[in-house]
Amino acid sequence: MYKQFYQGMSLTELPLFALFLFIVVFLGVCAWVFGVRRSQDFDALARLPLAERGEGGHE
């Protein structure tokens, strides 16, 4: 089935390029989300459910 699909295709490298691009973007987003700089934001958000009403600027 794949052989028939790619047989008529002139850009056979396109699926590999798209896969490589997806992996690079995915790893970049993961690195950004779980980066060290963001840990302070996560700590502040983790304390919100335990904070007193009015504390932290959220009413």
Side-chain angles (χ1 to χ4, degrees):
M1 181 170 90
Y2 291 112
K3 186 177 180 181
Q4 292 172 347
F5 176 76
Y6 290 121
Q7 190 174 17
M9 190 176 200
S10 61
L11 298 173
T12 55
E13 299 86 15
L14 188 61
L16 289 176
F17 175 73
L19 176 65
F20 179 72
L21 181 65
F22 172 77
I23 290 172
V24 167
V25 169
F26 179 77
L27 291 176
V29 168
C30 286
W32 178 71
V33 167
F34 295 112
V36 176
R37 294 182 306 136
R38 309 247 327 150
S39 66
Q40 295 91 10
D41 296 337
F42 291 140
D43 291 339
L45 292 174
R47 287 190 298 270
L48 277 178
L50 303 175
E52 294 293 324
R53 197 154 190 68
E55 186 180 329
H58 297 284
E59 296 279 336

